Amino acid sequence: KVYWGYIRLLQHALFKLPKDESGTLFRGIKLDWPGAPSLAEYRAELLRKQSSGEEEIWWGFSSTSTSLPAVRRFLGEHGPRVIFTVDGGSSARDVRRYSAFQDGAVPENERLLPCGTAFVVRTAEIVGDGLVMANVKSVHRAGAEQQQQQQQQQQQQQPWG
């Protein structure tokens, strides 16, 4: 609850940015934190969600990229890793102007997904040593984004103070 104000502020600001229409997005995660599931366990959970139709929800703000080489570079070549391919449009916003990683041989081309973004899992395949490629499709909830826009319009009409 302490952070709710900051989360709401960031979410509100994020929705003021133009929606990204660049197509496929990529997100890489390393399963190397304390208590992380094994790659097999993580893949099994994705496959369970695929077969049951349960949504995969990313509750935090999620950094993504339009560049698969940038995601591969971020993940490295070793350890348990998952690369998500996000298809079907999304509510991502282009945050390249605010990203610190745009210089170099492989620019990040960062897009940020709002918290609570939901997906359906289409595939989760082992493609190499310690790497799973998962394909997900955004679940569009027209009501959520429309409600956010209505709230923004109401706040703009209300005097501050």
Side-chain angles (χ1 to χ4, degrees), residues 39-116:
L39 191 62
E41 291 169 334
Y42 196 84
R43 179 176 179 257
E45 178 64 10
L46 290 173
L47 292 173
R48 184 191 67 75
K49 288 181 178 182
Q50 176 190 13
S51 65
S52 71
E54 181 183 340
E55 295 175 353
E56 169 77 3
I57 301 174
W58 296 347
W59 289 109
F61 292 95
S62 299
S63 176
T64 65
S65 176
T66 60
S67 169
L68 182 56
V71 171
R72 288 185 178 276
R73 188 169 149 221
F74 164 75
L75 287 176
E77 299 292 323
H78 304 288
R81 307 163 324 276
V82 180
I83 295 178
F84 289 94
T85 302
V86 180
D87 288 333
S90 69
S91 52
R93 300 307 199 264
D94 185 346
V95 293
R96 284 179 291 181
R97 295 190 309 187
Y98 313 103
S99 177
F101 301 105
Q102 290 310 314
D103 297 327
V106 183
E108 185 179 24
N109 293 324
E110 186 176 9
R111 307 303 192 262
L112 191 63
L113 289 168
C115 55

Side-chain angles (χ1 to χ4, degrees), residues 5 8 15 25 29-30 40 57 73 83 90 97 101 116 120 122 131 133-134 137 139 146-147 156 158 160:
R8 186 167 180 240
F15 280 120
L25 299 174
I29 61 169
K30 299 177 189 178
I57 301 174
R73 188 169 149 221
I83 295 178
S90 69
R97 295 190 309 187
F101 301 105
V120 291
R122 295 167 133 182
L131 178 63
M133 291 288 289
K137 181 173 175 43
V139 175
Q146 189 175 24
Q147 182 181 15
Q156 289 172 354
Q158 295 175 355
W160 295 96

